[in-house]
mmCIF file of all heavy atoms in Angstrom:
data_model
loop_
_atom_site.group_PDB
_atom_site.id
_atom_site.type_symbol
_atom_site.label_atom_id
_atom_site.label_comp_id
_atom_site.label_asym_id
_atom_site.label_seq_id
_atom_site.Cartn_x
_atom_site.Cartn_y
_atom_site.Cartn_z
ATOM 1 N N LEU A 6 104.777 94.420 112.735
ATOM 2 C CA LEU A 6 105.331 95.724 112.381
ATOM 3 C C LEU A 6 105.449 95.925 110.753
ATOM 4 O O LEU A 6 105.087 96.898 110.314
ATOM 5 C CB LEU A 6 106.759 95.860 112.998
ATOM 6 C CG LEU A 6 107.279 97.288 112.912
ATOM 7 C CD1 LEU A 6 106.398 98.284 113.589
ATOM 8 C CD2 LEU A 6 108.673 97.252 113.403
ATOM 9 N N TYR A 7 105.747 94.780 110.151
ATOM 10 C CA TYR A 7 105.868 94.699 108.696
ATOM 11 C C TYR A 7 104.393 94.780 108.089
ATOM 12 O O TYR A 7 104.137 95.488 107.192
ATOM 13 C CB TYR A 7 106.429 93.541 108.215
ATOM 14 C CG TYR A 7 108.064 93.621 108.301
ATOM 15 C CD1 TYR A 7 108.716 92.795 109.132
ATOM 16 C CD2 TYR A 7 108.857 94.566 107.676
ATOM 17 C CE1 TYR A 7 110.105 92.723 109.326
ATOM 18 C CE2 TYR A 7 110.182 94.552 107.839
ATOM 19 C CZ TYR A 7 110.720 93.667 108.693
ATOM 20 O OH TYR A 7 112.147 93.658 108.830
ATOM 21 N N ALA A 8 103.566 94.113 108.756
ATOM 22 C CA ALA A 8 102.157 94.121 108.324
ATOM 23 C C ALA A 8 101.463 95.483 108.364
ATOM 24 O O ALA A 8 100.795 95.964 107.538
ATOM 25 C CB ALA A 8 101.390 93.121 109.086
ATOM 26 N N ALA A 9 101.842 96.127 109.440
ATOM 27 C CA ALA A 9 101.300 97.617 109.663
ATOM 28 C C ALA A 9 101.904 98.504 108.581
ATOM 29 O O ALA A 9 101.241 99.406 108.056
ATOM 30 C CB ALA A 9 101.884 98.058 110.941
ATOM 31 N N GLY A 10 103.147 98.299 108.259
ATOM 32 C CA GLY A 10 103.748 99.055 107.050
ATOM 33 C C GLY A 10 103.094 98.841 105.729
ATOM 34 O O GLY A 10 102.871 99.719 104.978
ATOM 35 N N VAL A 11 102.685 97.557 105.538
ATOM 36 C CA VAL A 11 101.858 97.306 104.349
ATOM 37 C C VAL A 11 100.545 98.071 104.317
ATOM 38 O O VAL A 11 100.082 98.610 103.364
ATOM 39 C CB VAL A 11 101.705 95.830 104.078
ATOM 40 C CG1 VAL A 11 100.768 95.520 103.029
ATOM 41 C CG2 VAL A 11 103.039 95.111 103.873
ATOM 42 N N ILE A 12 99.846 98.006 105.494
ATOM 43 C CA ILE A 12 98.520 98.645 105.732
ATOM 44 C C ILE A 12 98.633 100.151 105.328
ATOM 45 O O ILE A 12 97.758 100.701 104.779
ATOM 46 C CB ILE A 12 97.976 98.399 107.011
ATOM 47 C CG1 ILE A 12 97.582 96.791 107.237
ATOM 48 C CG2 ILE A 12 96.705 99.171 107.309
ATOM 49 C CD1 ILE A 12 97.340 96.546 108.643
ATOM 50 N N LEU A 13 99.651 100.772 105.854
ATOM 51 C CA LEU A 13 99.796 102.139 105.678
ATOM 52 C C LEU A 13 100.282 102.499 104.361
ATOM 53 O O LEU A 13 99.950 103.669 103.806
ATOM 54 C CB LEU A 13 100.938 102.688 106.619
ATOM 55 C CG LEU A 13 100.518 102.798 108.039
ATOM 56 C CD1 LEU A 13 101.721 103.257 108.993
ATOM 57 C CD2 LEU A 13 99.352 103.865 108.305
ATOM 58 N N THR A 14 100.897 101.583 103.547
ATOM 59 C CA THR A 14 101.436 101.911 102.198
ATOM 60 C C THR A 14 100.408 101.725 101.125
ATOM 61 O O THR A 14 100.327 102.443 100.167
ATOM 62 C CB THR A 14 102.680 101.026 101.894
ATOM 63 O OG1 THR A 14 103.635 101.206 102.909
ATOM 64 C CG2 THR A 14 103.191 101.435 100.556
ATOM 65 N N LEU A 15 99.473 100.749 101.420
ATOM 66 C CA LEU A 15 98.570 100.253 100.336
ATOM 67 C C LEU A 15 97.617 101.423 99.912
ATOM 68 O O LEU A 15 97.384 101.640 98.677
ATOM 69 C CB LEU A 15 97.603 99.228 100.893
ATOM 70 C CG LEU A 15 96.621 98.589 99.922
ATOM 71 C CD1 LEU A 15 97.381 98.001 98.743
ATOM 72 C CD2 LEU A 15 95.761 97.443 100.589
ATOM 73 N N PRO A 16 96.999 102.276 100.721
ATOM 74 C CA PRO A 16 96.175 103.401 100.325
ATOM 75 C C PRO A 16 96.895 104.423 99.396
ATOM 76 O O PRO A 16 96.355 104.866 98.456
ATOM 77 C CB PRO A 16 95.698 104.031 101.590
ATOM 78 C CG PRO A 16 95.829 102.963 102.591
ATOM 79 C CD PRO A 16 96.940 102.188 102.238
ATOM 80 N N VAL A 17 98.177 104.678 99.755
ATOM 81 C CA VAL A 17 99.006 105.594 99.016
ATOM 82 C C VAL A 17 99.252 105.021 97.585
ATOM 83 O O VAL A 17 99.160 105.750 96.619
ATOM 84 C CB VAL A 17 100.285 105.918 99.681
ATOM 85 C CG1 VAL A 17 101.186 106.802 98.788
ATOM 86 C CG2 VAL A 17 100.065 106.561 101.085
ATOM 87 N N LEU A 18 99.577 103.689 97.571
ATOM 88 C CA LEU A 18 99.838 103.041 96.281
ATOM 89 C C LEU A 18 98.551 103.088 95.399
ATOM 90 O O LEU A 18 98.601 103.349 94.175
ATOM 91 C CB LEU A 18 100.192 101.648 96.483
ATOM 92 C CG LEU A 18 100.470 100.738 95.304
ATOM 93 C CD1 LEU A 18 101.488 101.329 94.442
ATOM 94 C CD2 LEU A 18 100.679 99.265 95.754
ATOM 95 N N LEU A 19 97.321 102.738 95.947
ATOM 96 C CA LEU A 19 96.041 102.826 95.199
ATOM 97 C C LEU A 19 95.836 104.114 94.679
ATOM 98 O O LEU A 19 95.387 104.379 93.599
ATOM 99 C CB LEU A 19 94.956 102.323 96.102
ATOM 100 C CG LEU A 19 95.058 100.826 96.533
ATOM 101 C CD1 LEU A 19 93.909 100.513 97.425
ATOM 102 C CD2 LEU A 19 94.995 99.954 95.306
ATOM 103 N N LEU A 20 96.089 105.145 95.485
ATOM 104 C CA LEU A 20 95.917 106.559 95.036
ATOM 105 C C LEU A 20 96.791 106.879 93.909
ATOM 106 O O LEU A 20 96.327 107.586 92.928
ATOM 107 C CB LEU A 20 96.084 107.504 96.278
ATOM 108 C CG LEU A 20 95.646 108.965 96.182
ATOM 109 C CD1 LEU A 20 94.171 109.039 96.018
ATOM 110 C CD2 LEU A 20 96.077 109.776 97.290
ATOM 111 N N PHE A 21 98.026 106.485 93.967
ATOM 112 C CA PHE A 21 98.927 106.824 92.907
ATOM 113 C C PHE A 21 98.497 106.123 91.650
ATOM 114 O O PHE A 21 98.597 106.713 90.509
ATOM 115 C CB PHE A 21 100.376 106.400 93.211
ATOM 116 C CG PHE A 21 101.432 106.532 92.214
ATOM 117 C CD1 PHE A 21 101.869 107.766 91.980
ATOM 118 C CD2 PHE A 21 101.772 105.469 91.394
ATOM 119 C CE1 PHE A 21 102.809 107.881 90.835
ATOM 120 C CE2 PHE A 21 102.677 105.652 90.327
ATOM 121 C CZ PHE A 21 103.157 106.869 90.099
ATOM 122 N N ILE A 22 98.053 104.880 91.761
ATOM 123 C CA ILE A 22 97.562 104.124 90.568
ATOM 124 C C ILE A 22 96.472 104.879 89.795
ATOM 125 O O ILE A 22 96.391 105.022 88.697
ATOM 126 C CB ILE A 22 97.419 102.648 90.849
ATOM 127 C CG1 ILE A 22 98.624 101.916 91.315
ATOM 128 C CG2 ILE A 22 96.637 102.039 89.730
ATOM 129 C CD1 ILE A 22 98.400 100.479 91.775
ATOM 130 N N ALA A 23 95.573 105.314 90.679
ATOM 131 C CA ALA A 23 94.296 105.977 90.215
ATOM 132 C C ALA A 23 94.650 107.223 89.432
ATOM 133 O O ALA A 23 93.924 107.521 88.411
ATOM 134 C CB ALA A 23 93.392 106.261 91.401
ATOM 135 N N PHE A 24 95.633 107.996 89.797
ATOM 136 C CA PHE A 24 95.945 109.281 89.232
ATOM 137 C C PHE A 24 97.323 109.205 88.418
ATOM 138 O O PHE A 24 97.895 110.302 88.282
ATOM 139 C CB PHE A 24 96.016 110.338 90.277
ATOM 140 C CG PHE A 24 94.658 110.622 90.954
ATOM 141 C CD1 PHE A 24 94.336 110.029 92.150
ATOM 142 C CD2 PHE A 24 93.774 111.425 90.341
ATOM 143 C CE1 PHE A 24 93.173 110.324 92.793
ATOM 144 C CE2 PHE A 24 92.509 111.788 91.002
ATOM 145 C CZ PHE A 24 92.256 111.121 92.237
ATOM 146 N N SER A 25 97.727 108.029 88.188
ATOM 147 C CA SER A 25 99.175 108.051 87.593
ATOM 148 C C SER A 25 99.188 108.635 86.222
ATOM 149 O O SER A 25 100.215 109.265 85.937
ATOM 150 C CB SER A 25 99.549 106.501 87.467
ATOM 151 O OG SER A 25 98.613 105.764 86.541
ATOM 152 N N ARG A 26 98.235 108.573 85.342
ATOM 153 C CA ARG A 26 98.289 109.233 84.056
ATOM 154 C C ARG A 26 98.472 110.689 84.219
ATOM 155 O O ARG A 26 99.254 111.301 83.561
ATOM 156 C CB ARG A 26 96.962 108.843 83.255
ATOM 157 C CG ARG A 26 96.988 109.494 81.952
ATOM 158 C CD ARG A 26 95.730 109.053 81.127
ATOM 159 N NE ARG A 26 95.642 107.569 80.899
ATOM 160 C CZ ARG A 26 94.704 106.984 80.393
ATOM 161 N NH1 ARG A 26 93.711 107.704 79.820
ATOM 162 N NH2 ARG A 26 94.705 105.587 80.168
ATOM 163 N N ASN A 27 97.730 111.381 84.945
ATOM 164 C CA ASN A 27 97.762 112.818 85.162
ATOM 165 C C ASN A 27 99.029 113.226 85.909
ATOM 166 O O ASN A 27 99.550 114.266 85.698
ATOM 167 C CB ASN A 27 96.573 113.406 85.879
ATOM 168 C CG ASN A 27 95.315 113.437 85.152
ATOM 169 O OD1 ASN A 27 95.351 113.551 83.787
ATOM 170 N ND2 ASN A 27 94.135 113.375 85.661
ATOM 171 N N PHE A 28 99.440 112.361 86.741
ATOM 172 C CA PHE A 28 100.710 112.616 87.454
ATOM 173 C C PHE A 28 101.845 112.698 86.569
ATOM 174 O O PHE A 28 102.686 113.589 86.628
ATOM 175 C CB PHE A 28 100.966 111.474 88.516
ATOM 176 C CG PHE A 28 102.212 111.593 89.273
ATOM 177 C CD1 PHE A 28 102.332 112.541 90.306
ATOM 178 C CD2 PHE A 28 103.423 110.913 88.952
ATOM 179 C CE1 PHE A 28 103.437 112.583 91.050
ATOM 180 C CE2 PHE A 28 104.542 111.000 89.624
ATOM 181 C CZ PHE A 28 104.647 111.930 90.775
ATOM 182 N N VAL A 29 101.986 111.741 85.525
ATOM 183 C CA VAL A 29 103.079 111.749 84.600
ATOM 184 C C VAL A 29 102.971 113.011 83.776
ATOM 185 O O VAL A 29 103.920 113.655 83.409
ATOM 186 C CB VAL A 29 103.047 110.570 83.622
ATOM 187 C CG1 VAL A 29 104.015 110.487 82.607
ATOM 188 C CG2 VAL A 29 103.251 109.192 84.560
#
């Protein structure tokens, strides 16, 4: 269940990192 949470969170984290400059 925790591993599933990591799998679901990882794409969102990568997306945020990719657009973090414009997001700020």
Side-chain angles (χ1 to χ4, degrees):
L6 191 61
Y7 286 117
V11 173
I12 293 173
L13 285 174
T14 305
L15 185 60
V17 176
L18 177 62
L19 295 176
L20 191 65
F21 175 79
I22 293 175
F24 294 96
S25 59
R26 180 176 300 178
N27 285 334
F28 178 79
V29 173

